[in-house]
């Protein structure tokens, strides 16, 4: 398969708006790819190289683009081979070797192929082909049920690998993909609940109500003495969190897969700033000054038994048994099982009094549905919050002169298009945050203007709002009310931002 065919498919996908139309175009490209090309084509049409990080920056690429080929000749295999070598290149002389590899592939590319490759390598390939769209395309191309594709993706954690398996072996091959200790599973996600009463009414009495911490999601795998830790984006952080490794290694089991949250606590047991917790995931070196405490709320595997498909109450019983001996330093997420309304309210009050965000109400009959926001888990917070994409920032004035201040906020388009702007805010920003924005945003700029910068959709910020209102000012027809910055979310990608529907749900009178 020629690179030019992938470039043409990418252009067509970006040009159409509907989710179904995008999926059909990607499915057609996948059908035309050879079996060994499917992983790379899937990754590229998802917007990233198969190897993810190539160690190449925008300036390096810009300096090498120039002469172009008149006719397309590059194959998918040839480009992917170069990418693999780029990812593996390290040590003395690596910069020169990367330049040599890049110059070779770019000089053989047409102008259109060059533009595609530069955007792909720098993470700026915006085709509107979000994860869900590509999963639908894989199902269509392979002729298997979408549910089979989603489950295999959940368990493998790799969309390119799932696509290759589906197209090569269909449902039978996908069914053979199982949970492996040491290979992270995509985490199950909670949907926003409008209130505790509404969540309890929706899910009924057979629920558990647990604290919602202001921490970072973790998934921990243990295989005898080998313990590994991943974040919610499946980035391994084992080397940076030795205290978490030590706690799990001490549990009375041989193999386990645990799901939970971790955060830094102060001397009074209250949560420290979210940034303190996230600072531990910035490098492989543990910061001895900030210790993390783990709190587990689910158990997906224990001593050879997979629990994913078991109802939550079975998983919680197994988790309680595993953690029973840790009363001196509890590892279990606080909460109450099958509480009445009064007890559920008390759990929420205790969480808020402890400095946490709120609670999560969970259906005790539900299996673990990884990677999806369903109604089986509903998070309830006293303040409406949204995770939105930063689209731009304006230069401040007055005491904020010289600093990038007022940020433009975008909600995720569920149809896979560019984020849709829903408001602006400069509220809630400390001087430290203003300095950080001013230093960080230029590296993400796609256009600079006298008033400020427009950014590539890459940064996610958590915003508190009092609601939303209808507005013709923004393309989505809705605007945020009294938005203020709570924190940036380096643990989330734009694909995990809240949708335009989530903003519209805050409209007065919305069902």
């Amino acid at each position: 398969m020629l690179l030019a065919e992938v470039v043409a498919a990418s252009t067509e996908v970006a040009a159409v708006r509907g989710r179904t139309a995008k999926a059909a175009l990607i499915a057609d490209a996948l059908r035309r790819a050879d079996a060994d090309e499917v992983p790379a084509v899937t990754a590229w049409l998802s917007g990233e190289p198969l190897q993810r990080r190539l160690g190449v920056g925008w300036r390096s690429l810009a300096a090498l683009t120039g002469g172009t080929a008149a006719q397309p000749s590059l194959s998918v295999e040839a480009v992917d081979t170069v990418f693999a070598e780029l990812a593996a290149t390290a040590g003395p002389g690596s910069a020169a070797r990367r330049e040599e590899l890049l110059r070779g592939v770019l000089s053989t590319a047409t102008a259109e192929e060059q533009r595609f490759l530069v955007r792909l390598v720098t993470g700026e390939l915006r085709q509107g082909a979000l994860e869900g769209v590509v999963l639908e395309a894989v199902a269509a191309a392979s002729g298997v049920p979408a549910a089979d594709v989603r489950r295999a993706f959940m368990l493998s954690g790799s969309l390119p690998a799932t696509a290759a398996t589906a197209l090569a072996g269909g449902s039978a091959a996908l069914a053979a993909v199982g949970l492996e200790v040491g290979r992270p599973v995509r985490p199950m996600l909670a949907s926003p609940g409008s209130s505790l009463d509404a969540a309890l009414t929706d899910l009924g009495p057979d629920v558990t109500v647990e604290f919602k911490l202001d921490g970072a999601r973790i998934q921990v795998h243990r295989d005898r003495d080998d313990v590994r830790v991943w974040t919610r984006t499946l980035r391994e952080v084992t080397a940076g969190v030795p205290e978490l490794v030590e706690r799990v290694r001490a549990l009375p089991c041989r193999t386990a897969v645990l799901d939970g949250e971790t955060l830094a606590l102060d001397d009074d047991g209250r949560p420290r700033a979210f940034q303190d917790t996230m600072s531990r995931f910035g490098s492989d070196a543990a910061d001895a000054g900030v210790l993390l405490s783990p709190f587990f709320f689910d158990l997906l595997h224990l001593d050879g038994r997979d629990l994913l498909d078991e109802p939550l109450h079975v998983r919680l019983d197994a988790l309680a048994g595993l953690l029973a001996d840790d009363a001196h330093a509890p590892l279990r997420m606080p909460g109450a099982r099958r509480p009445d309304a009064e007890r559920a309210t008390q759990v929420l009050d205790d969480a808020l009094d402890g400095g946490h965000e709120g609670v999560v109400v969970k259906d005790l009959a539900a299996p673990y549905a990884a990677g999806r926001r369903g109604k089986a888990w509903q998070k309830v917070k006293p303040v409406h919050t949204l995770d939105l994409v930063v689209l731009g920032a304006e230069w401040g004035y007055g005491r904020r002169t010289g600093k990038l201040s007022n940020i433009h906020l975008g909600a995720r388009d569920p149809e896979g298009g560019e984020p849709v702007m829903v408001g602006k805010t400069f509220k809630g920003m400390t001087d430290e945050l203003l300095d950080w924005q001013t230093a960080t945003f230029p590296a993400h700029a796609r256009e600079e203007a006298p008033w400020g910068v427009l950014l590539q959709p890459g940064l996610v910020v958590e915003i508190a709002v009092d609601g939303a209102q209808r507005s013709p000012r923004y393309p989505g027809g809705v605007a945020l009310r009294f938005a203020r910055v709570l924190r940036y979310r380096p643990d989330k990608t734009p694909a995990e931002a809240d949708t335009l529907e989530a903003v519209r749900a805050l409209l007065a009178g919305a069902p």
Side-chain angles (χ1 to χ4, degrees), residues 384-448:
H384 292 300
T385 64
L386 294 165
D387 295 322
L388 301 173
V389 182
V390 183
L391 303 179
E394 300 172 11
W395 292 109
Y397 53 89
R399 74 175 188 87
R400 296 189 177 192
T401 297
K403 297 183 179 182
L404 287 169
S405 174
N406 200 18
I407 56 175
H408 299 187
L409 303 166
R412 177 162 57 88
D413 180 359
E415 295 296 329
E418 291 281 319
V420 180
M421 189 169 175
V422 291
K424 304 179 182 181
T425 189
F426 56 83
K427 298 183 182 297
M429 296 179 183
T430 63
D431 289 342
E432 181 182 19
L433 184 60
L434 288 167
D435 290 341
W436 179 85
Q437 289 183 168
T438 305
T440 303
F441 285 0
H444 296 267
R446 63 177 176 183
E447 183 179 328
E448 296 189 15

Side-chain angles (χ1 to χ4, degrees), residues 151-442:
R151 180 175 174 77
F153 177 42
M154 167 187 84
L155 293 169
S156 73
S158 169
L159 188 49
T162 301
T165 301
L167 269 75
S171 288
L174 291 173
V177 178
L179 186 150
E180 292 182 11
V181 178
R183 183 177 68 186
V185 173
R186 294 180 58 74
M188 185 170 178
L189 305 174
S191 296
S194 58
S195 69
L196 179 58
D197 287 344
L200 293 172
T201 299
D202 189 17
L203 296 177
D206 200 28
V207 297
T208 181
V209 180
E210 302 173 341
F211 281 23
K212 173 69 180 75
L213 304 185
D214 189 20
R217 186 77 173 265
I218 53 170
Q219 186 178 132
V220 185
H221 290 229
R222 175 181 172 184
D223 186 357
R224 294 172 175 81
D225 287 338
D226 183 26
V227 177
R228 300 172 67 184
V229 185
W230 286 269
T231 66
R232 63 177 290 139
T233 58
L234 307 189
R235 181 169 65 92
E236 187 168 3
V237 293
T238 304
V241 290
E243 67 272 42
L244 303 185
V245 171
E246 181 181 352
R247 293 295 301 275
V248 173
R249 188 177 285 147
L251 293 176
C253 63
R254 298 184 309 279
T255 60
V257 176
L258 295 131
D259 192 3
E261 282 193 272
T262 188
L263 76 170
L265 300 173
D266 62 20
D267 293 339
D268 296 323
R270 296 179 65 83
R272 294 176 57 163
F274 179 73
Q275 289 78 5
D276 291 341
T277 295
M278 292 310 300
S279 70
R280 289 295 305 278
F281 301 112
S283 70
D284 289 338
D287 180 353
V290 179
L291 291 176
L292 297 178
S293 298
F295 294 89
F296 296 112
F297 51 70
D298 219 323
L299 182 62
L300 311 185
H301 172 94
L302 181 64
D303 287 337
R305 179 189 176 194
D306 291 345
L307 300 169
L308 281 164
D309 295 324
E310 297 287 353
L312 177 59
H313 68 84
V314 172
R315 305 198 305 273
L316 291 182
D317 286 344
L319 180 64
L322 178 63
L323 305 182
D325 295 334
D326 282 275
H328 65 287
L331 291 170
R332 174 76 174 91
M333 183 70 74
R337 205 187 300 197
R338 298 185 181 89
D340 58 22
E342 183 178 355
R343 179 71 180 106
T345 300
Q346 185 61 56
V347 174
L348 175 59
D349 290 344
D350 290 346
L352 298 177
D353 289 345
H356 304 296
E357 291 186 322
V359 295
V360 183
V361 184
K362 300 178 180 179
D363 181 355
L364 285 169
Y368 195 87
R372 303 183 66 189
R373 291 188 188 274
K375 291 295 185 181
W377 290 11
Q378 298 186 31
K379 54 187 176 183
V380 178
K381 303 179 184 180
V383 176
H384 292 300
T385 64
L386 294 165
D387 295 322
L388 301 173
V389 182
V390 183
L391 303 179
E394 300 172 11
W395 292 109
Y397 53 89
R399 74 175 188 87
R400 296 189 177 192
T401 297
K403 297 183 179 182
L404 287 169
S405 174
N406 200 18
I407 56 175
H408 299 187
L409 303 166
R412 177 162 57 88
D413 180 359
E415 295 296 329
E418 291 281 319
V420 180
M421 189 169 175
V422 291
K424 304 179 182 181
T425 189
F426 56 83
K427 298 183 182 297
M429 296 179 183
T430 63
D431 289 342
E432 181 182 19
L433 184 60
L434 288 167
D435 290 341
W436 179 85
Q437 289 183 168
T438 305
T440 303
F441 285 0

